[in-house]
Amino acid sequence: MTRKSNAASRETNSEWLTGLYALHKSRSRRRTIAVMLVRAVILILFIGLWEAAGRNKWIDPLLFSFPSRIGNLLLDMIRDGSIWSHVGMTVGETVVGFVLGTLIGTLIAALLWWFPFVSRVLDPYLVVLNSMPKVALGPIFIVALGPGFTSIVVTTLSVTVIITTLNIYNQFREVEEGLVKVVRLFGASRLQTFWYVIIPASFPVIISTLKVNVGLSWVGVMVGEFLVAKLGLGYLIIYGFQVFNFTLVLASLVIIAIVATVMYQLVTILERRLTGGRRER
């Protein structure tokens, strides 16, 4: 009788937990849909208000343009194919700078964690390098490496590498010491400790750094293209200012916003894969 009662109790608890989980998933889906709807409404209202303000001259249409004019310009540039070389160049520079900046910064952070003496020696130099204005370094890279793809990517690395190194290394150091001691007591090598404890415990900060690097990569590329480029979205922005074609400037910014959003969403997908769908609030 007791066994039947326990079995019935377990079945009841299982059904209750299943129902509770289904309720949670339903609420989560409704919340996600609500967030998407609010985002869409905000974007539509912003575009509609901007369009009305430009057409009715509540704002200066020469300086601020309006969405339909920007859209027409983009369509014309897509039809004649003139936009693709600029987009391809800038996106290529940004992706290379983003990937290399993240990899190099993470590698340096790992080396600093592996060799504490080196970390203590280099710590003040990293702080100084991080505080230096990257715009001022751009002309040096251009003179040293020549105007072109390489100097722009190096300018981007100067923006992303140090931030990546500092963020990830600080997280490596802050991993709970108890976890490290436990795996070392069980005979784990330093490499095994790093791979199975330090890296997994640092996933949230690594993902956060990736998200930050999306924006920093665009900043670095724009700095480089403003200084030297003859091709790319940064060049179009500078050219638009020079000829007072602010619709071209805003169209270039719209393209940057779209591509940056795509890059950010790719990082978000990577975050879901690495964390099993668990996101920090």
Side-chain angles (χ1 to χ4, degrees):
M1 194 68 182
T2 303
R3 291 180 180 177
K4 291 183 179 179
S5 177
N6 289 338
S9 177
R10 284 196 298 269
E11 185 176 350
T12 301
N13 289 336
S14 177
E15 292 176 355
W16 178 76
L17 289 174
T18 302
L20 187 63
Y21 178 72
L23 179 62
H24 167 73
K25 293 290 288 184
S26 176
R27 288 178 176 175
S28 179
R29 283 194 296 269
R30 287 200 298 269
R31 190 180 301 115
T32 301
I33 293 172
V35 168
M36 297 296 291
L37 287 175
V38 172
R39 286 177 179 174
V41 168
I42 291 174
L43 181 60
I44 292 170
L45 288 176
F46 173 75
I47 293 175
L49 182 60
W50 185 8
E51 181 77 19
R55 287 186 176 277
N56 294 296
K57 296 186 178 180
W58 301 339
I59 58 175
D60 188 343
L62 175 64
L63 293 178
F64 300 105
S65 191
F66 44 87
S68 61
R69 182 181 291 179
I70 295 171
N72 290 333
L73 176 61
L74 287 174
L75 286 175
D76 291 339
M77 296 179 73
I78 290 172
R79 290 192 190 101
D80 61 27
S82 60
I83 191 65
W84 300 118
S85 58
H86 296 286
V87 173
M89 176 61 70
T90 300
V91 171
E93 293 164 346
T94 304
V95 170
V96 171
F98 170 76
V99 173
L100 288 181
T102 302
L103 291 178
I104 294 172
T106 303
L107 179 60
I108 295 174
L111 292 175
L112 293 177
W113 178 86
W114 199 280
F115 302 105
F117 178 80
V118 176
S119 169
R120 294 183 64 182
V121 171
L122 295 183
D123 184 67
Y125 296 102
L126 291 174
V127 173
V128 171
L129 287 173
N130 186 47
S131 64
M132 292 187 67
K134 308 307 183 292
V135 176
L137 296 175
I140 298 175
F141 296 139
I142 291 168
V143 171
L145 302 172
F149 185 89
T150 302
S151 59
I152 293 174
V153 169
V154 172
T155 301
T156 305
L157 294 180
S158 72
V159 177
T160 58
V161 168
I162 300 301
I163 291 293
T164 302
T165 300
L166 292 175
N167 285 348
I168 295 180
Y169 172 61
N170 286 332
Q171 174 59 29
F172 286 171
R173 289 196 307 175
E174 292 173 4
V175 173
E176 188 176 346
E177 188 66 24
L179 294 175
V180 177
K181 289 181 179 179
V182 167
V183 296
R184 295 304 293 270
L185 285 173
F186 278 98
S189 66
R190 192 164 178 79
L191 177 60
Q192 289 173 325
T193 301
F194 179 76
W195 189 253
Y196 293 108
V197 177
I198 302 299
I199 290 292
S202 303
F203 274 158
V205 171
I206 293 174
I207 293 298
S208 176
T209 303
L210 285 173
K211 292 178 178 179
V212 171
N213 278 351
V214 170
L216 292 180
S217 298
W218 281 101
V219 170
V221 168
M222 288 299 105
V223 169
E225 289 191 347
F226 285 169
L227 292 172
V228 70
K230 295 181 180 179
L231 188 68
L233 297 174
Y235 165 77
L236 288 182
I237 291 173
I238 292 297
Y239 175 76
F241 275 119
Q242 290 173 342
V243 299
F244 288 91
N245 186 352
F246 295 105
T247 301
L248 178 61
V249 174
L250 291 169
S252 302
L253 292 175
V254 168
I255 296 173
I256 291 173
I258 292 172
V259 179
T261 301
V262 171
M263 291 177 64
Y264 187 91
Q265 290 302 317
L266 291 175
V267 173
T268 301
I269 293 172
L270 177 63
E271 176 185 19
R272 293 198 188 101
R273 289 183 178 274
L274 291 177
T275 61
R278 299 182 301 274
R279 299 181 61 182
E280 291 186 308
R281 293 184 61 84

